């Protein structure tokens, strides 16, 4: 009968209070608004794979990106936060198992003696005990298992947050690198412009010496040159700021990282947009929001479980003997079995409010999930739109630069011939510099939009990459 009772107890432990988690269904668009002009990839084809930055074909960027996950202190902090969450999940799981303990003791004692007369006395005796104890609170209602579910989901949230932080740091470094290379391109352009302005100043100085122009032309040419030199100094300061930002992202002190000058990235890779529904599986922030729903759903079960009593089982077995030499004889064996149940009869509505709070927390997580998904769709749509717009703008701007170069050369030739004043030359040169800088800015915007698209498509992350419940409870390592 005792065996049947225990079988029934284990059968009861299979039930769990609270709702089982079901992922909410969202209305997902069939395609992106900016789809015309883009080739839509199948879910497994166009998705960025892991080291997405390699598509920019820049060896220096590849070297810097490799240092982000290794040296970035903020990511290291996120990793330890994940490890903490895993430890909490394992701690909660430990409550499912019995607690075992062993105790042993030995005592030597005596009684009586004589002081100025005869008296009764007994020799010292040695007694001992050796006991084993076991206690267990079976999870009849599933309260502990719901807590384990909650902690496991929380660890998965932490893992997704780590993956998202890694992707964000990688994207930030790529963006800062684009800014730095644009600064390099601007510095090269300004050096070229300064050389051209120095030639113009030489021409005006010669014409002034010949008495064919006034000193105003010389001063105008000199002012134009000094303005370009000032812009060069400002651009060098800008470059230093982005180099320092890259140093921080790669875990270096600014003084320890120097990036040689280079050209602006020429190619603008584009990650083909997949079917929108795949975005739900390819963004770590969406995965984190979805796992947060599972965590909050399990918390409802934990709160509901407080309504039910706890059953505790205990057992003790061992030996106790005097003298200690006969400790382990069968006649000195002792044992006991016990059971107790505890439950609150009145708690002023605290449990009901705890359940209400847990349900509200779950509903909040659902809305957060919906908003995260909508924001993801918005970001991808914006990236696709920007890439289309900036590509068209770059084509127009390239023609503007070519026209400005011809205009500046014609104006300078005509000034040499004395058919136009120097104001015409200055205007043409300023226009040329402005158009060239605009072209660099547009290329920068295209590159940033490309980086944003790779990041907004998840950077190669997939929800299935998150550690499973078994992985978390076993403590196996995880790398985003």
């Amino acid at each position: 009968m005792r065996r049947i009772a225990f079988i029934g107890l284990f059968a009861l432990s299979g039930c769990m209070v609270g709702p089982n988690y079901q992922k909410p269904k969202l209305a997902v668009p069939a395609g992106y608004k900016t789809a015309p002009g883009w080739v839509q990839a199948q879910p497994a084809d166009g998705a960025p794979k892991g080291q997405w930055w390699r598509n920019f074909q820049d060896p220096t960027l590849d070297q810097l990106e490799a240092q982000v996950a290794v040296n970035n202190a903020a990511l290291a902090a996120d990793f330890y936060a994940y490890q903490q969450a895993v430890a909490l999940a394992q701690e909660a799981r430990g409550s499912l198992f019995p607690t075992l303990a062993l105790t042993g003791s030995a005592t030597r004692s005596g009684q009586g003696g004589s002081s100025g007369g005869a008296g009764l006395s007994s020799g010292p005796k040695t007694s001992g005990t050796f006991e084993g104890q076991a206690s267990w609170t079976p999870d009849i209602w599933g309260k502990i298992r719901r807590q384990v579910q909650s902690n496991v989901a929380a660890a998965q949230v932490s893992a997704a947050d780590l993956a998202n932080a890694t992707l964000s740091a990688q994207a930030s470094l790529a963006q800062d690198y684009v800014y730095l290379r644009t600064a390099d391109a601007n510095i090269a352009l300004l050096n070229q412009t300064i050389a051209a302005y120095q030639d113009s100043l030489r021409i005006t100085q010669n014409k002034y010496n010949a008495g064919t122009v006034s000193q105003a032309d010389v001063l105008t040419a000199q002012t134009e040159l000094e303005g370009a030199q000032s812009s060069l100094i400002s651009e060098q300061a800008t470059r230093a700021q982005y180099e320092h930002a890259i140093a921080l992202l790669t875990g270096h002190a600014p003084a320890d990282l120097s990036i040689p000058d280079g050209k602006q990235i020429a190619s603008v890779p584009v990650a083909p947009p997949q079917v929108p529904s795949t975005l739900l599986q390819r963004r770590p922030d969406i995965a984190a929001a979805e796992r947060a729903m599972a965590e909050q759903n399990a918390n409802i079960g934990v709160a509901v479980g407080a309504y039910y009593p706890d059953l505790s089982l205990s057992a003790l077995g061992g030996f106790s003997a005097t003298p200690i030499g006969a400790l382990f004889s069968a006649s000195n064996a002792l044992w006991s079995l016990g059971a107790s149940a505890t439950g609150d009869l009145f708690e002023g509505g605290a449990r009901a409010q705890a359940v209400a709070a847990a349900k509200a927390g779950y509903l909040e997580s659902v809305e957060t999930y919906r908003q995260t998904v909508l924001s993801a769709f918005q970001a991808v749509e914006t990236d696709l739109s920007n890439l289309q717009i900036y590509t068209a703008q770059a084509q127009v701007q390239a023609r503007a630069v070519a026209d400005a170069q011809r205009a500046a050369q014609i104006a300078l030739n005509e000034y040499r011939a004395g058919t136009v004043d120097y104001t015409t030359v200055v205007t043409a040169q300023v226009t040329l510099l402005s158009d060239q800088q605009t072209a660099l800015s547009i290329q920068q915007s295209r590159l940033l939009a490309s980086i944003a698209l790779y990041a907004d498509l998840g950077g190669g992350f997939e929800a299935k990459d998150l550690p499973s419940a078994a992985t978390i409870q076993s403590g196996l390592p995880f790398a985003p």
Side-chain angles (χ1 to χ4, degrees):
M1 291 296 294
R2 183 179 299 170
R3 181 177 298 176
I4 295 175
F6 274 102
I7 292 174
L9 183 61
F10 278 109
L12 281 175
S13 67
C15 67
M16 288 197 292
V17 294
N20 292 324
Y21 174 69
Q22 291 185 343
K23 183 178 177 180
K25 294 183 179 179
L26 297 180
V28 179
Y32 293 105
K33 182 178 181 181
T34 326
W38 296 101
V39 177
Q40 183 167 282
Q42 295 301 316
D45 294 340
K49 303 294 193 299
Q51 299 177 341
W52 50 268
W53 53 85
R54 290 188 175 275
N55 293 317
F56 290 86
Q57 301 177 10
D58 190 298
T60 303
L61 176 61
D62 295 342
Q63 294 173 3
L64 293 170
E65 288 285 3
Q67 301 178 44
V68 173
V70 176
N71 297 333
N72 189 286
L75 295 184
D78 288 333
F79 175 73
Y80 290 121
Y82 165 72
Q83 288 190 320
Q84 182 184 35
V86 169
L88 291 173
Q90 293 175 340
E91 178 186 10
R93 183 173 178 269
S95 300
L96 291 170
F97 301 95
T99 299
L100 304 177
L102 290 174
T103 59
S105 67
T107 304
R108 185 172 178 82
S109 62
Q111 181 180 2
S114 60
S115 178
L120 298 174
S121 64
S122 62
K125 298 178 180 179
T126 302
S127 61
T129 61
F130 183 81
E131 297 175 350
Q133 300 176 355
S135 61
W136 183 37
T137 302
D139 191 28
I140 299 175
W141 317 113
K143 290 187 290 185
I144 298 176
R145 279 169 289 158
R146 288 298 189 197
Q147 185 62 59
V148 171
Q149 285 181 349
S150 175
N151 287 11
V152 166
Q156 290 172 325
V157 170
S158 183
D161 286 341
L162 173 58
N164 193 51
T166 302
L167 176 59
S168 178
Q170 292 167 342
S172 294
L173 186 143
Q175 290 166 350
D176 287 341
Y177 185 78
V178 166
Y179 285 124
L180 180 137
R181 286 310 185 209
T182 300
D184 282 343
N186 266 313
I187 289 172
L189 173 62
L190 286 167
N191 280 323
Q192 177 183 342
T193 301
I194 287 171
Y197 287 179
Q198 288 172 337
D199 286 341
S200 297
L201 176 59
R202 178 180 52 79
I203 293 170
T204 56
Q205 185 67 52
N206 290 338
K207 292 176 74 67
Y208 171 70
N209 292 339
T212 57
V213 299
S214 68
Q215 191 177 12
D217 285 1
V218 176
L219 293 175
T220 299
Q222 189 168 340
T223 301
E224 189 179 26
L225 172 62
E226 291 166 347
Q229 291 171 333
S230 176
S231 296
L232 175 62
I233 295 172
S234 176
E235 202 64 40
Q236 290 169 337
T238 298
R239 185 194 194 278
Q241 292 175 4
Y242 286 116
E243 188 176 60
H244 298 163
I246 291 173
L248 178 63
L249 287 167
T250 56
H252 294 90
D256 295 336
L257 179 68
S258 295
I259 302 174
D261 295 342
K263 297 181 179 180
Q264 191 179 40
I265 299 175
S267 62
V268 182
V270 177
Q274 303 92 44
V275 178
S277 60
T278 64
L279 198 63
L280 304 185
Q281 300 297 320
R282 295 190 180 277
R283 281 183 56 124
D285 57 339
I286 293 179
E290 188 275 327
R291 288 291 81 199
M293 288 191 297
E295 177 188 2
Q296 294 300 327
N297 183 82
N299 286 339
I300 297 175
V302 175
V304 172
Y307 279 105
Y308 298 88
D310 290 327
L311 173 66
S312 297
L313 304 176
S314 62
L316 180 146
F319 300 88
S320 178
T322 303
I324 196 171
L327 178 63
F328 293 104
S329 66
S331 60
N332 292 323
L334 54 88
W335 62 271
S336 68
L337 296 174
S340 64
T342 59
D344 296 330
L345 296 178
F346 178 76
E347 33 64 47
R351 286 177 297 193
Q353 294 307 311
V355 173
K359 289 180 178 179
Y362 170 73
L363 293 176
E364 177 188 4
S365 68
V366 171
E367 296 306 317
T368 300
Y369 174 71
R370 291 181 63 251
Q371 186 62 31
T372 302
V373 171
L374 291 176
S375 297
F377 288 140
Q378 177 199 19
V380 174
E381 291 279 13
T382 300
D383 298 335
L384 293 173
S385 176
N386 285 343
L387 282 167
Q388 281 190 336
I389 293 170
Y390 293 142
T391 298
Q393 187 180 11
Q395 294 171 352
V396 175
Q397 190 63 32
R399 294 195 295 269
V401 169
D403 292 340
Q405 287 174 331
R406 290 180 61 240
Q409 187 60 52
I410 291 172
L412 186 59
N413 292 339
E414 290 180 346
Y415 178 71
R416 282 191 179 120
T419 57
V420 298
D421 57 23
Y422 195 69
T423 303
T424 303
V425 177
V426 171
T427 300
Q429 289 178 333
V430 169
T431 300
L432 173 59
L433 177 59
S434 176
D435 283 340
Q436 289 172 322
Q437 289 178 324
T438 298
L440 293 178
S441 178
I442 293 172
Q443 178 68 359
Q444 172 182 283
S445 296
R446 293 179 65 201
L447 290 166
L448 293 177
S450 176
I451 293 169
L453 181 59
Y454 275 105
D456 289 334
L457 290 176
F461 172 87
E462 292 189 46
K464 65 180 182 181
D465 296 332
L466 288 180
S468 65
T471 298
I472 291 171
Q473 295 181 56
S474 64
L476 294 175
F478 162 74

